[in-house]
Amino acid sequence: AADAAAMDVAAFGAADAAATREAALGAAATTREAAPRTRPKEERGVRVLAVATDADEAAPLLASAKRANARVDLLGVGGSENYGHDWKLRLVEAAVRDLPADQLVMVVDAYDVLVAPALGDGAAMIRAFDAFDRRVVFAAERRCWPDAALCNGGSHLNAGAFCGVARDVLQM
């Protein structure tokens, strides 16, 4: 895994995208690498990946994706919730390795995320991703859970959703 400071990372949040982007751009993790970032291919759309040990629990995500005409690949169905985040990352890594290097990939939580209709278009999502001009974009939020004492104002990284082209996601 690449050093986080070497990756070109931004954060996005629904509540206050401008403030979130400003906070992300000011972070040390926004250091640019010399290599240009890979541009996603619009005709491939967006591949959405979600780790879910229970497909029934992911039904709202899958139903929203169907309405949005988006493809969601569930990874880890039938596994144990006790495997943890490293297991989740290994599943995502294996799935991303099978994709073209310039495929835009969005990794989301399976149980508390819905797919918006614009995502199914693919082109709109790619334009939104390109607007950040970053290699990988993470979700951000203003509150911390389960320990609100960890919050000190501003936006906080939420690894529940991130997006980037396959090559860059593999370099994280």
Side-chain angles (χ1 to χ4, degrees), residues 6-60:
M7 287 299 294
D8 191 10
V9 178
F12 67 91
D16 187 357
T20 300
R21 187 172 195 278
E22 195 62 36
L25 294 176
T30 60
T31 304
R32 294 189 184 273
E33 289 183 348
R37 71 182 183 92
T38 303
R39 307 301 292 197
K41 293 288 186 197
E42 193 167 304
E43 63 270 14
R44 289 200 179 110
V46 181
R47 280 295 280 279
V48 181
L49 305 176
V51 176
T53 56
D54 183 342
D56 291 338
E57 292 290 324

Side-chain angles (χ1 to χ4, degrees), residues 47 49 73 94-105 166 170:
R47 280 295 280 279
L49 305 176
D73 296 329
V96 172
R97 283 195 186 286
D98 291 337
L99 299 175
D102 57 0
Q103 172 69 57
L104 186 61
V105 178
L170 287 173

